[in-house]
Amino acid sequence: MTETTDPRPGLRDARSWNMETSLPLMYSFVHGEELADMADDRDDIMVLTADLATSNRTNDFQHRHPDRFVDLGIAEQNMTSVAAGLASAGFVPYISTFASFAALMCAEQIRTDLAYPQMKVRVLGHHSGISFGFYGTSHHATEDIAITRAIAGLTVVAPSDAASTRALLRATVDEPGPVYVRMGRGREKPIYDSPPEVSRGRFQLVREGVDLTIIATGIGVQGAVGAAGLLAAEGIEVRVLDALWLKPFDVDGVLAAMSETGGILTVEDHNVMGGLGSAVAEVIAESGGSTRFRRHGIQDEYALIGPPTHLWRHYGLDPAGIATRARALLGS
Amino acid sequence: MSSTSPPETTSSRLDRGRVLTAQGLAWRADWVRLKTVELVEIAGSGHYSSVFSCAEIFAALYYRALRLDPKDPQWADRDRFLLGKGHAAIGVYPMLADLGFFPDDWLADYARVGSRFGDHPDMRKIPGIDFSSGSIGHNLSVGVGMALAARKQCRDFRTVVMIGDGELNEGQVWEAAMSAAAFDLGNLTVIVDENQMCLDGSVSAVMPVEPIVDKWRAFGWAVTEIDGHDPSSVIEALDALPATDSSVPTCVLAHTRKGAGVSFMDLSLHWHLGYLGEVDRADAEAEITARMEAGTSVPGGSR
């Protein structure tokens, strides 16, 4: 190859960037670093990727533990089943690829080779939801919560920022079966100052309030926090719950929101069918009680393409859009 | 249709084997590179180098080899082109506009909210795109289905699928290869853009795919090797594709260089995705336009 050290060969303009120089932009992709730290203390952790080490920053792990890193090339299904084999021999493999490939293309491998035999494989599905923006429908994943929740024996978690990524990786490392980790695009702003004390199967309380509860996941948490700020200025106090765990699910958290606050709005960058909203609806319906309730997300359609932040605004997943839905739900 | 109706117009049809000189192809390939640089500027990021490796092949397909009808993109007898390496679609859009599939100004909102045109091609939104792609490894199977359909319908259209060498990592490619030979699909061609690079580095380092020729032959395909940057070589290979009623599928293995045509991207480890600021964009455009004005082509050779 022509060069290995200079990341900007031949470039003169400070605005130019390439794969190497774009890595720091993905500041919330801390999983490579965190897993490398964890692997310092235990010898069973491995990290696998499918030609995306530079895109998902698993090269942070590769640099520190090259002997426990495997790049399978562009072969996601192979990677998933290879991980099953590694797990059967005692390793805890973390496999990483775009959520659209991890959860959709490899759904059958996850069910048959990971979940049913209870292999301790952790699937890192990054760039979930519509965070891939104009890279298009093939790269969007607005179905992965529905698919993974329906697979028996699979734990499903969804960090909302860097700190919660660290917390959830630590909290799930010894889960007896496989885990699906639904991740964003690596540019999620901080929700937590430091890794939160997470509790298995429980929402994380981000902000307390009594007028309404917003239960959000992933990129929706950023918007929900912003919306709560806007609504507070209008005298509406919102409880914001971060659904870090999608399975097992926080039934008690939903019931408490029903009894203690004036309604529930769910927010997700996922199809409202089969996603977080559906999970909350199941709890409300089976409780025998009732509350004001709306599912906010992608309404059973293929999203438009466009820059991610513009798309979130278009679909009302930004603070203003969420606040609008909250006001409508409260009839104010 | 009654016998008194006027005959259906065929004036917009483009036949196979249109006139395109080697020099004309080299110019058109660099035009594709230039248009790619322009479109990435709108989006703020893009896959320049994945287009640069196959620009000559794109130009030869759309300006000579494929039978098309820009005014009737759904014409049942058109040749099909599928881009398995869908992230190079940004190089196809300007050709489709130039040939008249849609107005040029449609491209002005490339990658903006609600645009038809994103990084990967969308058949539901873009006239002239025969099938969507983006998930690496699917399109050769889709091409097998199209070629099989031609047989079932007694149509003589050709199906051409371009895939990357990294794409050969995907198991589905080989399932497709096996079935194409089993179904005697001489009307199917795969072009492997062997640009030597995938996202994480060189294909030979990440997940080697050699010997490519032996693999396709073992799967029952005829293989032609070309220098994918040599205009004459590209034209000859596409002109020599077998008749569509023949029984052996063809693999054109094109030796290319990811990033070819802009010196600082040529086989660079860092340019799978990126963005050129104004100064570097001017450098790249100057290098490309100098060749177009001089009537020269990108230096050949795969290394």
Side-chain angles (χ1 to χ4, degrees), chain B residues 77-271:
Chain B
D77 286 318
R78 73 193 186 280
D79 289 340
R80 269 63 163 181
F81 177 66
L82 287 73
L83 186 62
K85 44 173 286 182
H87 50 285
I90 190 172
V92 173
Y93 304 151
M95 295 188 296
L96 293 177
D98 182 61
L99 290 171
F101 281 92
F102 50 78
D104 203 42
D105 60 11
W106 280 20
L107 289 169
D109 74 344
Y110 174 74
R112 299 273 167 80
V113 172
S115 175
R116 298 164 185 264
F117 306 94
D119 189 76
H120 295 95
D122 190 328
M123 65 192 284
R124 292 181 54 179
K125 298 172 183 170
I126 305 170
I129 294 296
D130 289 316
F131 214 84
S132 306
S133 63
S135 185
I136 297 286
H138 294 198
N139 262 190
L140 186 55
S141 297
V142 177
V144 168
M146 289 178 174
L148 195 57
R151 286 287 155 76
K152 303 288 184 197
Q153 297 171 341
C154 299
R155 295 187 187 277
D156 74 340
F157 66 81
R158 189 187 300 288
T159 301
V160 179
V161 185
M162 181 190 285
I163 63 178
D165 49 352
E167 188 163 1
L168 300 180
N169 290 167
E170 291 281 10
Q172 186 173 354
V173 170
W174 301 104
E175 298 170 34
M178 203 180 318
S179 59
F183 302 149
D184 302 323
L185 298 177
N187 55 352
L188 177 66
T189 298
V190 68
I191 300 174
V192 179
D193 174 21
E194 193 205 7
N195 67 19
Q196 311 174 56
M197 309 287 292
C198 49
L199 189 148
D200 276 338
S202 72
V203 174
S204 62
V206 174
M207 186 54 64
V209 293
E210 293 290 353
I212 297 175
V213 171
D214 292 349
K215 283 189 172 75
W216 287 94
R217 287 201 175 126
F219 274 77
W221 291 56
V223 182
T224 308
E225 286 187 82
I226 62 169
D227 177 342
H229 298 303
D230 174 41
S232 302
S233 178
V234 175
I235 288 172
E236 281 169 29
L238 295 180
D239 284 356
L241 290 178
T244 54
D245 60 358
S246 61
S247 61
V248 178
T250 302
C251 169
V252 177
L253 175 58
H255 301 294
T256 62
R257 302 188 313 275
K258 190 165 177 172
V262 171
S263 51
F264 59 81
M265 288 187 188
D266 199 326
L267 281 184
S268 165
L269 286 170
H270 303 308
W271 277 103

Side-chain angles (χ1 to χ4, degrees), chain A residues 1-20 49-55 69 71-77 98 101 105 134-139 302-307 310-311 314, chain B residues 43-47 111-120 122 124-125 133-136 138 166-167 169-170 197-202 206-207 264 266-280 283 303:
Chain A
M1 290 304 106
T2 48
E3 80 287 325
T4 52
T5 50
D6 179 5
R8 297 174 54 84
L11 296 183
R12 300 194 289 139
D13 194 315
R15 289 183 62 215
S16 300
W17 57 267
N18 58 30
M19 290 296 291
E20 193 71 19
T49 194
D51 192 35
L52 292 178
T54 319
S55 175
F69 178 84
D71 196 329
L72 277 299
I74 310 172
E76 299 78 12
Q77 292 168 308
F98 302 137
F101 304 156
M105 181 195 290
F134 63 81
Y135 285 79
T137 309
S138 63
H139 283 53
Y302 292 100
L304 298 176
I305 62 161
H310 298 211
L311 281 185
H314 177 85
Chain B
S45 76
H47 291 100
R112 299 273 167 80
V113 172
S115 175
R116 298 164 185 264
F117 306 94
D119 189 76
H120 295 95
D122 190 328
R124 292 181 54 179
K125 298 172 183 170
S133 63
S135 185
I136 297 286
H138 294 198
E167 188 163 1
N169 290 167
E170 291 281 10
M197 309 287 292
C198 49
L199 189 148
D200 276 338
S202 72
V206 174
M207 186 54 64
F264 59 81
D266 199 326
L267 281 184
S268 165
L269 286 170
H270 303 308
W271 277 103
H272 179 76
L273 188 69
Y275 171 73
L276 292 174
E278 190 178 352
V279 177
D280 297 316
D283 285 353
R303 293 205 186 261

Side-chain angles (χ1 to χ4, degrees), chain A residues 221-239:
Chain A
V221 180
Q222 279 185 34
V225 170
L230 295 175
L231 294 165
E234 302 165 18
I236 302 170
E237 290 302 326
V238 176
R239 174 182 297 181

Side-chain angles (χ1 to χ4, degrees), chain A residues 3 9 33 39 54 77 80 105 107 113 115 125 136 174 191 198 258 265 271 277 286 294 304 310 318 326:
Chain A
E3 80 287 325
E33 179 184 274
T54 319
Q77 292 168 308
T80 305
M105 181 195 290
D113 298 339
D174 289 317
I191 302 293
V198 297
M258 286 176 71
L265 176 69
N271 194 339
E286 289 188 335
R294 282 289 181 282
L304 298 176
H310 298 211
D318 62 327

Side-chain angles (χ1 to χ4, degrees), chain B residues 8-58:
Chain B
E8 195 179 337
T9 178
T10 57
S11 58
S12 64
R13 287 199 182 151
L14 304 172
D15 288 324
R16 295 177 189 144
R18 278 164 278 152
V19 174
L20 181 69
T21 63
Q23 191 177 19
L25 186 151
W27 184 92
R28 181 60 67 181
D30 271 331
W31 177 86
V32 167
R33 290 186 175 91
L34 213 48
K35 289 291 180 183
T36 299
V37 172
E38 287 176 18
L39 287 177
V40 173
E41 172 60 20
I42 302 176
S45 76
H47 291 100
Y48 303 97
S49 61
S50 302
V51 174
F52 291 179
S53 65
C54 57
E56 282 77 15
I57 301 167
F58 276 171

Side-chain angles (χ1 to χ4, degrees), chain A residues 8-297:
Chain A
R8 297 174 54 84
L11 296 183
R12 300 194 289 139
D13 194 315
R15 289 183 62 215
S16 300
W17 57 267
N18 58 30
M19 290 296 291
E20 193 71 19
T21 54
S22 70
L23 287 172
L25 298 175
M26 297 181 283
Y27 48 83
S28 64
F29 272 170
V30 295
H31 51 282
E33 179 184 274
E34 190 71 14
L35 291 169
D37 289 347
M38 292 160 68
D40 286 341
D41 302 325
R42 47 193 292 169
D43 58 10
D44 55 356
I45 289 176
M46 292 186 69
V47 171
L48 282 61
T49 194
D51 192 35
L52 292 178
T54 319
S55 175
N56 63 27
R57 294 196 60 165
T58 51
N59 57 5
D60 291 339
F61 181 94
Q62 180 184 16
H63 294 147
R64 287 172 55 186
H65 297 283
D67 294 344
R68 283 194 268 160
F69 178 84
V70 182
D71 196 329
L72 277 299
I74 310 172
E76 299 78 12
Q77 292 168 308
N78 187 44
M79 172 173 70
T80 305
S81 300
V82 166
L86 289 166
S88 75
F91 284 102
V92 181
Y94 287 75
I95 67 177
S96 58
T97 185
F98 302 137
S100 56
F101 304 156
L104 276 72
M105 181 195 290
C106 302
E108 203 264 337
Q109 280 83 2
I110 290 174
R111 185 202 63 163
T112 304
D113 298 339
L114 306 187
Y116 179 55
Q118 287 292 282
M119 292 295 112
K120 293 173 71 171
V121 176
R122 286 73 180 98
V123 181
L124 308 178
H126 50 88
H127 289 85
S128 64
I130 55 175
S131 67
F132 241 129
F134 63 81
Y135 285 79
T137 309
S138 63
H139 283 53
H140 292 174
T142 54
E143 309 88 353
D144 58 331
I145 296 175
I147 291 168
T148 54
R149 278 191 80 237
I151 295 176
L154 180 65
T155 298
V156 183
V157 297
S160 52
D161 69 351
S164 56
T165 298
R166 294 184 195 277
L168 286 170
L169 289 174
R170 297 269 178 183
T172 56
V173 65
D174 289 317
E175 282 280 307
V179 181
Y180 179 67
V181 185
R182 184 177 204 254
M183 302 174 65
R185 64 172 187 147
R187 301 188 191 191
E188 291 69 39
K189 296 183 183 109
I191 302 293
Y192 306 98
D193 296 332
S194 59
E197 290 284 328
V198 297
S199 181
R200 187 174 191 274
R202 304 305 297 263
F203 299 140
Q204 205 70 19
L205 178 66
V206 178
R207 180 185 177 118
E208 190 52 282
V210 295
D211 296 318
L212 175 72
T213 297
I214 299 179
I215 307 176
T217 191
I219 191 66
V221 180
Q222 279 185 34
V225 170
L230 295 175
L231 294 165
E234 302 165 18
I236 302 170
E237 290 302 326
V238 176
R239 174 182 297 181
V240 177
L241 299 173
D242 183 352
L244 292 175
W245 298 77
L246 293 164
K247 188 182 176 179
F249 198 61
D250 192 350
V251 173
D252 291 340
V254 176
L255 296 177
M258 286 176 71
S259 63
E260 295 167 8
T261 71
I264 299 176
L265 176 69
T266 58
V267 178
E268 57 194 317
D269 59 339
H270 185 280
N271 194 339
V272 294
M273 299 180 74
L276 170 67
S278 293
V280 172
E282 290 164 10
V283 176
I284 295 171
E286 289 188 335
S287 74
S290 67
T291 188
R292 289 170 169 151
F293 173 64
R294 282 289 181 282
R295 297 168 301 159
H296 180 38

